Amino acid sequence: LAWVMGLIKHVNGTLNATGSAYIGWVDAKTEEPVRDIDVKPRYEEYILAHTGIRLIEPELAAGYDPDGRSILREIQIEHDMESFEASAEDAQAFKSTNGENVDIWEGDSGSWSVRFRKGALIRVPMALRGDRLVAGLLPTGWDSTRYGIPEDVAKQVDPVTCYTLVATVEALVRSGITDPYELYQYFHVSEVGNTTGSGLGGSRSLQRIFKHRALDIEARNDILQETFISTVQAWVNMLLMSSSGPVKPLVGACATGVLSIDVAIETIQSGKAKVMLAGGVDNFTEESSIEFANMGATNNSFDEFAKGRTPLEMCRPCTSTRNGFMEAQGAGVVTLMSASAAIEFGAPIYGIIAMSGTATDKQGQSVPAPGKGVLTSTRETSGGLPSRLLSFNYRRRQLERQLASLDLWKREELADLADMVDYPLDTVKISEMNYAKQIEDEYAQQRRGLQDMWGNEFWKNKPDISPLRGCLAVWGLTVDDIGMASFHGTSTAANDKNESDVLNSQFHKLGRTPGHTVPVVCQKWLTGHPKGPAASFMLNGVLQSLRTGLVPGNRNADNIDKAMEEFDYALYLSKSVQTSGIKAGLLKSFGFGQVGGELLVVHANYLFATLAQEQLEQYNVKLQQRDIKASRYWQDTLVGNHPFVQVKSHPPYTPEQEHAVLLDPLARAKYDKASGEYKF
């Protein structure tokens, strides 16, 4: 954080102050040497005051100061004003707008004079004090150019693009990918796609179009392009990826992250991609702060201060005193791969997205009102015997029998090739080889189809097996194995109760053991509500809990609402609890515009258990190599050996190769040691 906030920098050379050789950290302002052990005591107080939820700092919100936000108030003047000089064009513009209430005339020197007369209407600026003074903001001093984004790019694009570029590189590095072009050593350029979305897109650019233009404040001529939600993906691809895969920008307000992941997973499962970047981004602006306040979604800072609360105590999900959320800003991006692709690539697998789903709600006239549409993930007929398909052993037997039949088919097809005697000997040999490969390919495709049918898709279109139950059963799990529930938890009266009711009803429907409560995680007390990337933040938290077994508590849950007592499966923790292990977590997201989303995340060990010992060992070797490479990348960034975001200057293929690469599904890049790049 000290590096992120520009408080320290790394020096490997001569100190300007002393002229002596030095390797290590120095204070960014004074260049005074700072030992590693001194960073925390020296900067901790400042870091805590300028990270997370806190009083709004105008420099982080494009100059917006809620203590004195500027508006234009229309007034009618009561006497003729003094004249002032203007250009001929401006003088005519004043006259055409105000008519007889404005006099204009040309002076002797060719200049024009303008005088507003009594009765004219003019707008003058005035400062109003807002009542939303707190937000979850980026660390003070966060600078995209420190991460390596070129200054000319940073000035051209909307800030949300910079957030997404940094988040995308982090998602790749966390996946052991330090050069995005390495993906094309394993996958075709058409097999890498992006579904990153937003609730609003380039909100600062929208602000410049609708506000700055009206105030005659200069803005870039191409600013319109930065307002499109798809532009964020465009910059990611132009500066980092150079892929030609599926692009599906998502718009889903608060549930953008779940929508993006859901679409990305469907894209992979349909065979259109092997790797997808997914997530969301949104900013904090004056306009969003005011309008969320107008609809009563955020809490009143003055009311909170009057009750003795600090900014960190103002977001209190599921409590009796909850009164709205804190807005926040940022981006969250994840790298999604099919299991086979991740194993082949050697990427770290943090968790399995075992189920993803979205749902709308019933009739109504309130766009932000939360609903119960996501209950449909547990839709199934009641009564009767449980389906045999839920039995892991039953499905294994069926798969083994059908695989045996498939093996017989392959042997017979290969044996039939020996009857090709009507051709010359050399032609027969070549034909056998070609046809044998075709048979092997058909066999592999049919084998994957059987594995999908009995492994991942057996529950589909079965009215007696709900999607959630079926997706748990894929891994031999039941509803009792869900060890945590990550709530959207906006700290609003309607959402928190509705979300608790949905979870409780789902668990009742699926027959979770009575008394077997599930810990509820409401992390917006700490992060605030970033809108678009909210679910991406939450997914990251779930993956951390699966890895560590630690369920984080809601530190502001001082008095759980009595209305929550009826939801007997939900346990609202105020302190973190270390468990012996979490098998699966359930994540929910409720967005404006009737958009609900849900993810079931299963521990990665369930995937590793399906691998043969030799396959697992080979994967672990690749994994360790990627871990070492990623760690080195982080360290080299901090000490200044290279930027974190390394913007590409050209695609991995030459202009002459472009058509051939795009048209050949087997085209792959190779690492060129001489240039240190991946090339076709």
Side-chain angles (χ1 to χ4, degrees), residues 367-402:
V367 170
K372 296 179 170 57
V374 294
L375 271 175
T376 54
S377 68
T378 52
R379 64 187 185 276
E380 63 183 28
T381 55
S382 301
L385 293 172
S387 172
R388 289 193 300 170
L389 292 171
L390 294 173
S391 168
F392 207 88
N393 290 329
Y394 172 79
R395 299 200 308 274
R396 178 189 287 114
R397 288 198 304 272
Q398 306 314 308
L399 175 61
E400 289 174 347
R401 287 169 181 167
Q402 295 192 20

Side-chain angles (χ1 to χ4, degrees), residues 234-353:
W235 281 113
V236 169
N237 200 53
M238 289 189 295
L239 299 179
L240 297 176
M241 306 302 299
S242 283
S243 81
S244 298
V247 53
K248 303 178 180 182
L250 271 295
V251 184
C254 310
T256 302
V258 168
L259 295 178
S260 176
I261 291 168
D262 183 54
V263 171
I265 290 172
E266 289 183 351
T267 303
I268 291 174
Q269 290 177 335
S270 69
K272 293 181 179 179
K274 297 289 184 62
V275 181
M276 293 292 292
L277 294 171
V281 62
D282 263 319
N283 211 340
F284 172 80
T285 64
E286 174 181 353
E287 290 76 16
S288 65
S289 179
I290 293 170
E291 298 310 323
F292 273 125
N294 287 339
M295 70 170 61
T298 51
N299 63 23
N300 186 307
S301 301
F302 290 119
D303 291 347
E304 298 293 322
F305 286 138
K307 295 172 182 176
R309 295 193 177 99
T310 67
L312 282 176
E313 297 172 311
M314 291 185 183
C315 185
R316 302 177 301 282
C318 301
T319 65
S320 59
T321 59
R322 67 189 185 279
N323 194 30
F325 59 80
M326 307 282 110
E327 261 203 281
Q329 60 185 173
V333 178
V334 296
T335 309
L336 294 168
M337 296 185 185
S338 64
S340 57
I343 292 166
E344 177 190 0
F345 191 78
I349 300 173
Y350 297 103
I352 306 162
I353 307 296

Side-chain angles (χ1 to χ4, degrees), residues 188-190 244 651-667 680:
H188 189 248
V189 291
S190 66
S244 298
Y653 44 76
T654 65
E656 295 75 21
Q657 293 176 314
E658 183 173 10
H659 282 201
V661 169
L662 296 180
L663 293 172
D664 182 2
L666 299 180
F680 282 88

Side-chain angles (χ1 to χ4, degrees), residues 74 90 108 144 148 156 158 191 198 234 260 322 358 398 423 507 517-518 539 649 665:
E74 186 177 74
D90 287 348
D108 296 336
S144 61
Q156 178 181 356
D158 192 272
E191 296 176 324
S198 178
S260 176
R322 67 189 185 279
T358 61
Q398 306 314 308
Y423 304 105
F507 283 3
T517 59
V518 63
L539 176 57
S649 59

